[in-house]
Amino acid sequence: MPPPSDDSLLIVAALGGNALLRRGQPLDADVQRENVRGAAAVLAGLAGSHRLVIVHGNGPQIGLLALQSEAYRDVRAYPLDVLGAETEGMIGYLLERELANALAERQIVALLTQVVVDANDPAFAAPTKPIGPMYAEEEARRLATARGWVVAPDGSGWRRVVASPHPRAIVELEAIRILLDAGVIVVAAGGGGIPIVVDDNGVRHGVEAVIDKDWAAAVLADALGADALLLLTDVSAVHLSWGTPHARPLDRGSPNEIAALRFDPGSMGPKVDAACWFVSHSGKRAVIGAVSHALAMLRGEAGTRIDPDITAGA
């Protein structure tokens, strides 16, 4: 299959961690491979007609690597920036392989991506980003005491939470542009990218944090001048009154309208905030919905569409 034509859209698609490893599934390589295969089939449909950058989540995977690292006591546990790089390689490889199987004539590159954050970001003092597996509350609190973790409720269980500073810049931005211009499908900023700070001498340092992948995707999409940002997850749309008998999907809205609503900061909140920021900055559209509906989302037939020129509707 040849690369898309010059008049194709540039799409940044952010693939949620829960789309790669669904809640309740074991952290097993075969399970992740099967989920990636399904996601790649959908993404291949997007890449057939458009230029595509894929960002992926890594919450369950980086949590697993952190546990494995701690289990080997002869060396200190590896820091989260290094573990984040490992997940970029692991998940990026799986996406590369399955996309290549679906698009035999296209080139796919998974790029280790560093993302600059502010060393003084208040997120370092207030960890909120869930990583790793679910625990019962008692087990979560025991692990917090034993390992110095911060834990918090997440859905029906508890998880470790870590600092999630705001992404400021994508270090490999120009490399991504070059690859896109050559017709390559790019997997970049996996897990939100590898968090680094840059000191006064211009020296880069990794930091103990993870970056929200939806925010990283929004910053990357804005910097690239993308035509659309798709935030792909395991639910069909943003829902009002989620978790109640009155829950209903939100079809569309402007950034100002949707930003005025309240969404759970532990689930849909970051997606909504990132999507609204991208639309406000770029004047382009963002859509939140299920990975299986990605093509319909791009056509305006599924998901929650955020656009500067439309009025909210549910």
Side-chain angles (χ1 to χ4, degrees):
M1 179 182 294
S5 62
D6 290 340
D7 60 354
S8 63
L9 299 177
L10 172 55
I11 300 166
V12 174
L15 191 63
N18 288 335
L20 296 171
L21 192 69
R22 300 180 186 95
R23 291 180 184 272
Q25 287 186 321
L27 291 164
D28 183 85
D30 288 338
V31 172
Q32 294 185 68
R33 276 195 295 265
E34 189 62 31
N35 289 342
V36 168
R37 186 175 297 119
V42 176
L43 294 169
L46 290 173
S49 302
H50 304 290
R51 293 178 294 153
L52 180 64
V53 178
I54 301 165
V55 178
H56 61 76
N58 72 340
Q61 292 83 4
I62 196 171
L64 174 62
L65 290 180
L67 290 174
Q68 292 173 334
S69 177
E70 288 187 5
Y72 185 66
R73 297 295 184 178
D74 289 349
V75 297
R76 288 189 302 168
Y78 275 42
L80 286 177
D81 62 310
V82 174
L83 298 181
E86 290 185 32
T87 65
E88 279 197 283
M90 175 176 67
I91 301 170
Y93 156 65
L94 293 175
L95 284 166
E96 270 193 71
R97 188 183 71 187
E98 297 306 328
L99 282 166
N101 288 337
L103 299 167
E105 297 181 13
R106 295 290 300 280
Q107 292 293 311
I108 301 103
V109 169
L111 186 66
L112 285 176
T113 312
Q114 301 167 89
V115 176
V116 179
V117 301
D118 186 343
N120 297 314
D121 193 303
F124 287 108
T128 59
K129 184 69 174 176
I131 66 169
M134 290 280 193
Y135 300 101
E137 181 178 357
E138 183 178 352
E139 177 68 1
R141 293 191 182 280
R142 185 190 68 78
L143 290 170
T145 300
R147 296 174 175 166
W149 289 359
V150 177
V151 296
D154 183 25
S156 59
W158 286 61
R159 294 173 76 187
R160 180 188 179 189
V161 292
V162 299
S164 182
H166 190 78
R168 300 295 177 184
I170 311 295
V171 173
E172 288 78 14
L173 180 65
E174 290 309 311
I176 295 169
R177 290 189 198 277
I178 292 169
L179 289 167
L180 287 170
D181 288 344
V184 177
I185 300 167
V186 184
V187 182
I194 303 163
I196 65 165
V197 296
V198 181
D199 67 23
D200 292 339
N201 296 315
V203 178
R204 300 172 185 172
H205 306 271
V207 291
E208 188 75 354
V210 296
I211 299 169
D212 182 86
K213 68 100 181 43
D214 296 309
W215 269 106
V219 170
L220 177 58
D222 185 55
L224 288 173
D227 298 292
L229 172 64
L230 303 183
L231 302 183
L232 306 174
T233 184
D234 57 351
V235 295
S236 61
V238 176
H239 282 69
L240 300 174
S241 304
W242 177 256
T244 75
H246 308 292
R248 65 192 190 281
L250 179 62
D251 295 332
R252 61 193 181 276
S254 71
N256 288 339
E257 290 170 329
I258 292 181
L261 304 173
R262 292 289 180 267
F263 298 96
D264 185 352
S267 58
M268 198 57 75
K271 286 181 172 51
V272 170
D273 291 344
C276 289
W277 179 90
F278 168 74
V279 174
S280 296
H281 272 245
S282 68
K284 305 296 179 60
R285 58 183 156 141
V287 192
I288 303 171
V291 60
S292 59
H293 299 165
L295 286 167
M297 289 165 59
L298 191 61
R299 294 192 299 262
E301 299 169 357
T304 299
R305 176 169 172 158
I306 304 172
D307 189 296
D309 300 321
I310 58 179
T311 303

